[in-house]
Amino acid sequence: MERIAIEGGHRLQGSVRVHGAKNAALPILAASVMAHGESIIEDVPDLQDIRVMVAILRHLGCNVHHDGSRLRVDASGLSGTEVPEYLMRQMRSSIFLMGPILARSGQVRISLPGGCTIGSRPIDLHLRGLQALGARIEEKHGYILCTANRLRGTNIYLDLPSVGATENLIMAAVFADGVTTLHNAAREPEIVDLANYLNAMGAKVHGAGEAKVVIEGVHRLRGTNYTVIPDRIVTGTLLLAAAATRGEVELTNVQPDHLGAVISKLQESGVDVRAGQNTIYLRADGRPQRIERINTAYYPGFPTDLQSPFMAYLSLANGTSVVTESIFEGRFQHVSELARMGAKIKVDMRTAFIEGVPELTGAHVEATDLRAGAALILAGLAANGRTSIGNVHHIDRGYEKVEEVFGSLGAKIWRERPGGIS
């Protein structure tokens, strides 16, 4: 079984470019099935989730050509309306295909999605929203069948600002008759990126990034050229790794305004962080100071996807920090693995109390989900000795060539495969 090995204690230093955002590229690829003609999408990261989405698009009859970070998607020959169960189970984001396939083809059949086991993520908001647009929904034998002769614009009120539901319903509403108004919509930058892509294809989506989004229905979308925004979670992970190793880095191809809450907490911990227009510079010279409290929240609050890496960083802080996870109830699975490395963390329900230690030690650990894997890499980079991380398929879902990226900054990190080192 493949593992990631790290010889810790090496200061990260240098400059690195951040790749495009997985969480923006996936819904953008899903939206591509709505266009007649070819779309060229730039800066798409080479990740396992992206490969699964490409496999789904090809199964549906799309012509997809992958050339480095550029994807060409032509959905003119779209013929399928069912996403295979074996692909659905590999990636939760495949749920994004419900809205666009239904809008274009009048029906879609999917199984319940897979993905990381970080807590309950029901799709009822997706289904209720599609029903409000006029879809008929049947659930049988683990499958969901949605049908609609024609979707109709309406008012939709989300119980909570779900990113996935917001994106799915925006895509479905693009082909609905009349105007759809989505209330209590999620405000993440990836939603803005999706809306910008749809509008470049001829859609009329207004207000993305705000709590109220208005979609005027159109009858046809055309292919376009588009570049995906930088990955703010990868950006945050790299900043935290540099801070944990008392390093000095400059990140390029970033959007600092997408990370306001994270940069603020890094500065609170005593790190020198300076944001340019598309760059972020960080220098850390000593142990981080404790953070009195971090509460994860919907954007623009502190991102839940960086809770795990930030907790690994705070494990080295001078004093006790408090982290409350408000989004996913199962997102503390990394705590027991960090404890194997010497971290002192106590969990009470959804709140973790992190008593900082002067040093972590390398250990044999397992990634339980994508962001937990990132936390373990960060801890391994800062630890004394050798760390070996298993279940690396989780990490590969969200971080492109992670050993090459960190290696370019001076980390001693490599892959170990049965029969040899890679």
Side-chain angles (χ1 to χ4, degrees):
M1 186 69 69
E2 184 177 81
R3 303 185 70 85
I4 288 178
I6 303 169
E7 188 65 39
H10 297 275
R11 185 172 184 255
L12 296 190
Q13 192 168 8
S15 177
V16 70
R17 181 186 185 276
V18 175
H19 62 64
K22 179 197 82 159
N23 288 339
L26 288 171
I28 283 173
L29 287 172
S32 297
V33 306
M34 303 174 69
H36 291 270
E38 182 182 73
S39 289
I40 301 174
I41 307 167
E42 306 277 2
D43 210 6
V44 178
D46 184 15
L47 302 169
Q48 180 59 27
D49 278 9
I50 297 294
R51 297 185 200 115
V52 172
M53 181 62 84
V54 168
I56 292 172
L57 294 178
R58 286 173 174 158
H59 175 85
L60 295 171
C62 299
N63 185 5
V64 185
H65 179 67
H66 204 158
D67 180 17
S69 63
R70 174 184 296 161
L71 260 70
R72 296 176 179 269
V73 182
D74 189 342
S76 301
L78 185 76
S79 56
T81 60
E82 179 175 340
V83 180
E85 181 179 12
Y86 75 94
L87 292 173
M88 284 290 298
R89 287 185 176 276
Q90 293 182 47
M91 182 187 62
R92 183 173 183 84
S93 298
S94 48
I95 197 71
F96 293 136
L97 287 155
M98 288 180 66
I101 295 175
L102 177 66
R104 175 166 173 179
S105 301
Q107 71 173 41
V108 59
R109 186 173 186 261
I110 65 167
S111 64
L112 294 176
C116 286
T117 55
I118 58 174
S120 175
R121 297 194 286 184
I123 63 171
D124 58 310
L125 296 179
H126 301 249
L127 300 181
R128 288 206 301 267
L130 292 175
Q131 284 178 315
L133 288 167
R136 297 175 297 278
I137 296 175
E138 297 179 59
E139 296 184 54
K140 292 182 180 179
H141 310 298
Y143 281 87
I144 301 170
L145 175 65
C146 300
T147 58
N149 294 329
R150 186 70 187 173
L151 297 175
R152 304 180 305 274
T154 188
N155 282 295
I156 301 174
Y157 296 83
L158 294 177
D159 291 338
L160 54 87
S162 161
V163 174
T166 297
E167 292 173 331
N168 220 346
L169 296 175
I170 286 174
M171 288 186 278
V174 163
F175 282 167
D177 289 332
V179 176
T180 300
T181 304
L182 191 57
H183 301 271
N184 196 29
R187 300 165 61 188
E188 274 70 6
E190 294 80 11
I191 292 170
V192 177
D193 211 33
L194 172 63
N196 288 341
Y197 175 68
L198 288 166
N199 289 341
M201 292 195 294
K204 296 180 180 180
V205 182
H206 314 282
E210 302 297 332
K212 177 182 175 182
V213 181
V214 178
I215 307 102
E216 299 179 56
V218 299
H219 296 291
R220 189 179 179 88
L221 296 180
R222 60 184 179 274
T224 190
N225 289 21
Y226 195 79
T227 300
V228 176
I229 58 172
D231 196 309
R232 61 192 173 103
I233 306 304
V234 171
T235 303
T237 303
L238 290 167
L239 291 173
L240 286 163
T245 60
R246 304 180 188 184
E248 181 179 15
V249 299
E250 181 182 55
L251 306 184
T252 63
N253 188 47
V254 297
Q255 293 194 355
D257 57 318
H258 293 171
L259 283 163
V262 176
I263 291 173
S264 175
K265 290 299 180 183
L266 276 168
Q267 291 171 333
E268 186 179 337
S269 74
V271 176
D272 180 15
V273 186
R274 305 173 200 173
Q277 184 174 357
N278 298 111
T279 62
I280 301 177
Y281 167 85
L282 179 145
R283 181 184 175 93
D285 293 317
R287 284 183 70 185
Q289 298 303 306
R290 75 181 188 94
I291 301 293
E292 183 174 344
R293 180 169 292 277
I294 290 177
N295 291 298
T296 64
Y298 297 107
Y299 189 85
F302 191 94
T304 180
D305 280 352
L306 285 174
Q307 175 259 108
S308 306
F310 216 106
M311 190 181 295
Y313 170 61
L314 292 175
S315 296
L316 294 163
N318 183 18
T320 299
S321 304
V322 180
V323 175
T324 298
E325 174 55 57
S326 304
I327 309 299
F328 295 120
E329 72 275 11
R331 203 149 211 180
F332 281 160
Q333 297 180 56
H334 56 284
V335 169
S336 60
E337 299 303 301
L338 289 175
R340 293 172 62 86
M341 303 180 71
K344 294 183 178 180
I345 305 171
K346 295 181 180 180
V347 174
D348 182 11
M349 302 294 286
R350 289 195 172 198
T351 298
F353 301 87
I354 306 105
E355 180 185 346
V357 297
E359 182 180 77
L360 297 174
T361 55
H364 196 88
V365 292
E366 303 294 325
T368 54
D369 61 69
L370 168 55
R371 306 307 173 184
L376 295 175
I377 287 179
L378 190 155
L381 292 170
N384 179 28
R386 185 177 184 275
T387 297
S388 175
I389 304 171
N391 290 328
V392 298
H393 62 280
H394 288 305
I395 297 168
D396 291 336
R397 289 185 49 241
Y399 295 87
E400 182 181 47
K401 300 176 182 176
V402 66
E403 67 275 17
E404 293 183 18
V405 171
F406 282 113
S408 71
L409 296 172
K412 304 301 180 184
I413 178 172
W414 64 96
R415 296 203 179 220
E416 293 181 334
R417 295 185 173 91
I421 297 175
S422 175

